[in-house]
Amino acid sequence: MKSENELVGSVERVTFRNEANGFTVCELNTGDELITVVGKMFDIHPGEELNVRGRFDFHATFGPQFKADSVEKCIPTTAAAILRYLASGGIKGIGPTSARRIVEAFGSQSLEIIETDPERLTKIKGISKNK
């Protein structure tokens, strides 16, 4: 039996997703390297921080990859990771332009502001109370 490993990193991009069964292929930036991770990962987006457990494997066509048995989402903590997350559509109604403006205004506290004090977002150009 192969031993289980753990990876923690930020989703750089989602290269494939089967909406029917959740099978996803993504690139995970661990800080040291970009690792291809495969497995059932519903609704993940670039910029999200993941903690994945599984094992390294080699696919005959696609090469080295990490097969995830479990996936846990973590809240992005850096301004750069939050920007990637928001710009990727992680929150409905926030696109790349709004994401950039929010992160420029609030930095690494952007998600906390969205969650606990969304009224402050209306001070940003292009974001109305309705949005």
Side-chain angles (χ1 to χ4, degrees):
M1 181 175 169
K2 296 180 182 179
S3 65
E4 187 169 81
N5 296 290
E6 182 175 349
L7 297 175
V8 177
S10 174
V11 176
E12 285 293 319
R13 68 186 178 117
V14 175
T15 55
F16 175 80
R17 176 178 297 142
N18 180 326
E19 297 294 341
N21 65 14
F23 180 80
T24 302
V25 178
C26 70
E27 297 295 323
L28 190 71
N29 185 340
T30 64
D32 297 326
E33 60 184 321
L34 224 63
I35 297 175
T36 300
V37 178
V38 300
K40 288 192 177 188
M41 297 176 268
F42 288 94
D43 199 33
I44 65 163
H45 301 278
E48 285 187 307
E49 303 284 329
L50 299 181
N51 183 330
V52 294
R53 290 183 181 86
R55 64 199 173 289
F56 287 97
D57 199 13
F58 188 87
H59 189 280
T61 304
F62 301 110
Q65 51 188 222
F66 186 85
K67 287 190 169 186
D69 295 324
S70 69
V71 178
E72 179 182 341
K73 288 184 184 183
C74 307
I75 297 172
T77 56
T78 67
I82 291 169
L83 177 59
R84 281 194 311 274
Y85 171 68
L86 292 176
S88 74
I91 297 178
K92 185 179 178 180
I94 299 178
T97 302
S98 296
R100 181 181 45 76
R101 290 178 179 158
I102 291 168
V103 173
E104 284 175 354
F106 302 115
S108 63
Q109 296 196 322
S110 297
L111 294 178
E112 182 180 340
I113 300 294
I114 291 169
E115 179 71 24
T116 63
D117 197 6
E119 195 72 24
R120 290 177 63 186
L121 298 173
T122 60
K123 297 186 184 337
I124 298 172
K125 180 182 175 188
I127 299 180
S128 65
K129 191 171 186 170
N130 287 339
K131 188 174 186 179

